[in-house]
Amino acid sequence: AQSVTQLDSHVSVSEGTPVLLRCNYSSSYSPSLFWYVQHPNKGLQLLLKYTSAATLVKGINGFEAEFKKSETSFHLTKPSAHMSDAAEYFCVVIGSQGNLIFGKGTKLSVKP
Amino acid sequence: DTAVSQTPKYLVTQMGNDKSIKCEQNLGHDTMYWYKQDSKKFLKIMFSYNNKELIINETVPNRFSPKSPDKAHLNLHINSLELGDSAVYFCASSPIGQGSGANVLTFGAGSRLTVL
């Protein structure tokens, strides 16, 4: 069965420093993976997706993620955090029924 | 124009009541979904409809009944509300079923249900 594990429930960084949000996946076949972001009291917005093309995926707002099959990881990174990046981030994999399976989320806090 | 709109945004009600949440998408998508987000932010799919036909029905109590009058609408009706139903419910849509991996979901802003 497909699943994702977000290794950190909360990450805190200072503005201008790099962001790393970790996600490991489990899949019996080549997975389709996504990162979604949820700002407070808002819906979810797609940041980026991986669908077996380039392993380094660039998304919106300067975020990118690298698919590493050997490590079964799909970590989300950004070189320099901005205050507006403070939100909840979800790593997502497509399940066998075609439904999205969400990780438990990582809350990103950005300190001035 | 809002792509996926849900109403109401907030809903406070008593245990035992029946309530509905409406969802409409103007994206021309064929597939619509309901997700539940609990107090710990965990998101789980409840239902999926493709062109008005039920595709996914996760382990959800029979008190929850989705209704899709047309492919642009997917409403969620909940009977005999319980305290544990308190959550944020998100509607979403996608162009086709997600199995291809190429399509992504567009989410509504969510409907926060509080059962007292």
Side-chain angles (χ1 to χ4, degrees):
Chain A
Q2 283 65 42
S3 67
V4 286
T5 302
Q6 292 183 243
L7 300 171
D8 307 293
S9 59
H10 190 194
V11 170
S12 182
V13 300
S14 297
E15 193 174 20
T17 64
V19 175
L20 170 64
L21 304 183
R22 299 182 295 164
C23 173
N24 286 351
Y25 70 88
S26 174
S27 178
S28 51
Y29 48 80
S30 182
S32 293
L33 294 158
F34 306 78
W35 276 97
Y36 277 83
V37 60
Q38 184 179 23
H39 287 94
N41 300 314
K42 300 279 187 186
L44 290 97
Q45 181 184 19
L46 178 71
L47 273 180
L48 49 82
K49 64 179 180 180
Y50 167 77
T51 54
S52 72
T55 56
L56 183 61
V57 182
K58 293 188 184 300
I60 61 172
N61 301 335
F63 283 94
E64 61 181 37
E66 187 171 7
F67 174 77
K68 291 187 177 180
K69 186 176 180 180
S70 60
E71 298 177 10
T72 61
S73 69
F74 190 57
H75 301 336
L76 181 70
T77 61
K78 183 173 180 177
S80 176
H82 192 272
M83 294 297 290
S84 61
D85 295 328
E88 191 91 20
Y89 291 80
F90 294 93
C91 183
V92 181
V93 67
I94 289 188
S96 56
Q97 285 187 290
N99 57 305
L100 265 59
I101 298 172
F102 284 77
K104 294 192 174 181
T106 298
K107 182 177 180 179
L108 176 65
S109 299
V110 182
K111 298 173 289 187
Chain B
D1 285 342
T2 305
V4 180
S5 59
Q6 302 177 223
T7 55
K9 189 170 183 179
Y10 298 98
L11 184 56
V12 180
T13 188
Q14 300 285 335
M15 271 175 45
N17 284 350
D18 303 338
K19 291 294 177 186
S20 292
I21 307 172
K22 296 186 177 182
C23 179
E24 176 181 4
Q25 54 96 1
N26 62 6
L27 299 167
H29 289 170
D30 292 314
T31 308
M32 295 185 72
Y33 313 81
W34 277 108
Y35 279 80
K36 179 180 179 181
Q37 185 175 44
D38 62 24
S39 58
K40 295 183 178 179
K41 300 286 189 181
F42 183 57
L43 273 150
K44 189 173 180 184
I45 190 167
M46 300 174 70
F47 303 102
S48 163
Y49 269 73
N50 187 37
N51 270 324
K52 304 192 297 177
E53 181 182 347
L54 181 65
I55 302 298
I56 295 174
N57 183 359
E58 289 296 300
T59 307
V60 175
N62 291 337
R63 299 181 295 103
F64 290 79
S65 53
K67 287 188 171 49
S68 183
D70 55 61
K71 76 172 192 177
H73 295 84
L74 180 61
N75 303 323
L76 183 65
H77 188 76
I78 315 170
N79 290 327
S80 303
L81 279 157
E82 300 177 356
L83 293 176
D85 297 333
S86 295
V88 181
Y89 293 84
F90 285 98
C91 178
S93 70
S94 68
I96 63 174
Q98 302 169 75
S100 69
N103 291 290
V104 299
L105 270 60
T106 301
F107 282 84
S111 297
R112 182 177 295 276
L113 171 65
T114 303
V115 182
L116 303 175

